[in-house]
Amino acid sequence: MTDAFVKERHDAPPGFFEVEAAGLRWLDVPGGVPVVQPLQVSPGRLVTPRLHPVPPTGAAADEFGRRLAVLHDTGARHFGVPPDEWETDGYIGTIELPHSLEPTKAWGEFYASLRVRPYLRMAYDQGTIDDHQLAVFERLCRKLTDGAYDDPAEQPCRIHGDLWSGNVFWTADGVQLIDPAAHGGHRETDLAMLGLFGMPQLERVLRAYNEAHPLTDGWRDRVGLHRLHPLLTHVVMFGSSYVPRALAIARKYWR
């Protein structure tokens, strides 16, 4: 296979590449953002077409924003649902990503129970956060579970789930998406992650998205809340340097 990109991991945990392939297929929807598709998948290997990067342009950013809204609007059965063809947990980076086979009451309950608390437990068990810090995060989890940030009009969306700038690939044919942690989630989560570590043309992407699907008032004020989960995954994978930023978010949103 001459123009293919091969990812290999001989010690891959069960389903590591298979759930990624399922996510790539699930995110490939008519009118949505193009998603690189699996050519071969096995327990230790995933092969996809090789993409060739070009500099980002404003026109490509506009198209990306519009198409991302289409992808999200395709919907999901409930918050936390895994991609079609998958019925267990997935992965984000190198660590597990819990999925839910049964609907949760609302987004806040899902986010607290499956996107915040699992990584708090991992970080606490590692000794990366202490009892006092854990209590701060738990206060926010209680507020989330009580519905403080729920919007009954916001239905579960089909999201990429790990949409930082490194997984947005700019090609001559426009943006293509790679490396998902796909699940049923909140549209604001993908949008918040786009800017977590900076992304070129971000404001054009967001403006085009908002024109295609107007966002709920105050969405910019909730960006930090949606960044808490990826920051906690970084706490688990890379250590305590990410704790202050995650704590600042928790303190902001439990007040």
Side-chain angles (χ1 to χ4, degrees):
M1 204 168 296
T2 58
D3 203 25
F5 181 75
V6 180
K7 296 168 68 172
E8 290 185 302
R9 182 176 170 182
H10 299 297
D11 63 345
F16 186 77
F17 288 119
E18 293 92 334
V19 68
E20 180 178 344
L24 292 170
R25 290 189 290 265
W26 191 59
L27 295 173
D28 185 31
V29 302
V33 188
V35 182
V36 67
Q37 290 299 291
L39 300 174
Q40 296 177 6
V41 60
S42 65
R45 193 170 188 254
L46 176 65
V47 181
T48 61
R50 183 176 296 277
L51 302 178
H52 302 283
V54 301
T57 66
D62 294 343
E63 184 71 7
F64 173 38
R66 290 189 292 267
R67 286 179 173 268
L68 185 60
V70 172
L71 169 58
H72 288 167
D73 288 344
T74 303
R77 294 194 307 277
H78 56 263
F79 293 115
V81 70
D84 292 346
E85 306 173 19
W86 199 255
E87 295 184 352
T88 60
D89 292 340
Y91 296 90
I92 184 165
T94 58
I95 57 178
E96 287 190 9
L97 179 76
H99 288 144
S100 175
L101 297 183
E102 299 295 331
T104 50
K105 180 179 67 176
W107 176 79
E109 180 184 25
F110 151 72
Y111 195 62
S113 64
L114 293 183
R115 292 296 175 267
V116 178
R117 283 197 172 109
Y119 303 95
L120 293 180
R121 287 194 295 269
M122 292 182 206
Y124 184 78
D125 290 345
Q126 290 172 345
T128 311
I129 61 173
D130 59 27
D131 290 282
H132 173 71
Q133 294 166 333
L134 181 63
V136 173
F137 289 115
E138 279 294 341
R139 248 183 113 164
L140 173 59
C141 285
R142 289 193 292 273
K143 190 168 182 178
L144 282 162
T145 302
D146 289 343
Y149 296 102
D150 286 334
D151 177 3
E154 186 62 52
Q155 298 300 305
C157 293
R158 188 169 304 205
I159 71 170
H160 179 283
D162 192 13
L163 199 59
W164 71 289
S165 57
N167 289 336
V168 176
F169 208 98
W170 303 82
T171 77
D173 296 321
V175 165
Q176 292 202 41
L177 302 183
I178 62 173
D179 295 348
H183 62 276
H186 198 302
R187 70 180 68 247
E188 292 178 12
T189 296
D190 268 356
L191 298 179
M193 288 188 71
L194 283 173
L196 182 58
F197 301 114
M199 195 187 83
Q201 304 285 351
L202 177 59
E203 284 304 313
R204 287 194 67 153
V205 173
L206 296 175
R207 183 170 64 248
Y209 186 106
N210 195 40
E211 290 171 355
H213 183 113
L215 292 159
T216 305
D217 289 347
W219 69 271
R220 286 188 183 271
D221 295 331
R222 295 184 293 273
V223 164
L225 183 64
H226 288 272
R227 288 178 178 170
L228 182 58
H229 168 239
L231 286 173
L232 288 174
T233 67
H234 279 65
V235 169
V236 172
M237 289 188 286
F238 305 117
S240 60
S241 63
Y242 289 93
V243 171
R245 191 172 174 187
L247 270 174
I249 288 172
R251 290 192 174 104
K252 175 181 177 180
Y253 289 99
W254 63 243
R255 296 184 189 280

